[in-house]
Amino acid sequence: MTSESRERFVAEIQKTDLETIHLDVALLCVAIEAQQDPPGLAEFLDRETSRLDALADQVPADGRPDVRLRQVLSGFHGLTADYDRLDSSLLPDVLSRGRGLPILLSAVWTEVARRVGIPAHGVGLPGHFVVGIGDPTGSRVLVDPWAHGALLPYDKARELVSATGRTLRPEHLEPHSPVDTLARVLGNITTWARTPERARQRLWSIELALLLPRRNLGLTREYGEALIGVGRYSEASQVLEEYAELVSAAMPLEAENARRTAQHVRSRLN
């Protein structure tokens, strides 16, 4: 983590025109957080974005858009084992391994598509993440980067969503904004990092999520708990007290719980 990378992350996510947010740059700022000895930001961004540029250079100029992308990106895919790896959520590692979580694989597809002028967008289905290629309000196809970019017919998408116990709705097929995509990526990392030995990764994933313009109030409590996990008790107590004040009117029992935890944390400072 560097203050420079966080400043760049904030600069990207605070752009008023969502279409000008460079998802690749924001994801690379996330990846820097995982490095013990972070590289210089400018050099790092140049090196990693050039790998996406190189993929874009290989995309054929003619043909159906999804076929053009598949000819270059079909080698990227996912395996079940990837869900228990932090590097599956880090763009540089996904580019190196050709493997990752569905949402990161989808980011590779959309970022390469952007570079060659193919309209493409992430689609956040419940329990899965895919890519829409074409006009989101008109003619488009869905592809599944997890499955080497195979076409995903509507019936198959409905089956995938049904397996999560939900029903596929029109809003599930709407384009995922870059900010929502980043929130989902960071949420994946936070979930992966729930064990004590991953406390440092949990902390930075929540800190970045708190910088997003839209966030769940419960994230503040998670931040306090993450601070406890790395032994920063004084800060944790303060965050939990602030959280209790925020929710006291709507959720008095939750507020009392947070205050009790804050008090317990303060006792560890004596």
Side-chain angles (χ1 to χ4, degrees):
M1 177 267 288
T2 69
S3 58
E4 187 182 15
S5 66
R6 291 209 176 182
E7 288 172 5
R8 183 61 186 274
F9 180 79
V10 170
E12 285 297 329
I13 63 177
Q14 288 186 345
K15 290 177 178 177
T16 54
D17 183 355
L18 294 181
E19 294 200 0
T20 66
I21 294 177
H22 287 173
L23 181 59
D24 55 349
V25 170
L27 287 171
L28 290 171
C29 289
V30 171
I32 284 181
E33 299 279 334
Q35 302 196 27
Q36 294 282 2
D37 185 20
L41 180 64
E43 177 187 354
F44 177 72
L45 293 180
D46 285 345
R47 181 177 72 243
E48 297 302 327
T49 55
S50 69
R51 299 169 74 183
L52 290 164
D53 295 342
L55 290 170
D57 288 342
Q58 300 174 51
V59 175
D62 300 314
R64 204 174 71 189
D66 63 296
V67 174
R68 292 167 59 198
L69 291 170
R70 192 176 297 108
Q71 286 186 43
V72 177
L73 300 176
S74 63
F76 287 84
H77 67 288
L79 297 174
T80 303
D82 294 328
Y83 278 93
D84 197 37
R85 297 178 59 134
L86 175 59
D87 57 11
S88 296
S89 292
L90 305 177
L91 183 56
D93 297 272
V94 172
L95 290 171
S96 295
R97 297 173 60 231
R99 297 235 313 268
L101 296 189
I103 194 167
L104 266 294
L105 295 168
S106 294
V108 172
W109 274 69
T110 58
E111 286 302 300
V112 170
R114 177 173 65 82
R115 283 163 165 78
V116 297
I118 292 176
H121 50 274
V123 176
L125 300 175
H128 200 41
F129 206 95
V130 297
V131 171
I133 299 175
D135 182 355
T137 62
S139 177
R140 69 168 175 177
V141 296
L142 295 180
V143 300
D144 186 356
W146 172 264
H148 300 274
L151 284 174
L152 184 68
Y154 180 85
D155 287 350
K156 180 63 175 177
R158 186 172 56 194
E159 289 175 14
L160 286 172
V161 174
S162 179
T164 70
R166 301 177 66 178
T167 300
L168 181 63
R169 300 184 182 280
E171 57 266 28
H172 295 151
L173 297 171
E174 292 178 358
H176 224 56
S177 77
V179 170
D180 289 338
T181 296
L182 289 164
R184 194 154 165 170
V185 169
L186 292 168
N188 288 339
I189 295 173
T190 300
T191 299
W192 171 87
R194 287 197 180 278
T195 56
E197 68 273 14
R198 298 170 179 174
R200 185 182 68 84
Q201 290 90 345
R202 186 183 182 205
L203 180 61
W204 62 251
S205 66
I206 293 173
E207 286 176 337
L208 287 181
L210 286 169
L211 296 174
L212 296 173
R214 300 188 296 274
R215 61 176 186 268
N216 189 311
L217 181 59
L219 199 60
T220 303
R221 172 154 193 163
E222 286 198 61
Y223 181 43
E225 294 169 348
L227 287 167
I228 295 172
V230 296
R232 290 163 59 178
Y233 302 129
S234 178
E235 294 169 78
S237 174
Q238 182 178 347
V239 168
L240 289 169
E241 290 285 5
E242 291 172 354
Y243 170 73
E245 286 300 312
L246 287 171
V247 302
S248 58
M251 298 183 288
L253 290 179
E254 172 70 2
E256 180 57 32
N257 249 349
R259 290 192 181 98
R260 192 177 299 114
T261 302
Q263 183 179 13
H264 175 69
V265 170
R266 281 195 299 273
S267 71
R268 300 171 76 167
L269 295 171
N270 298 331

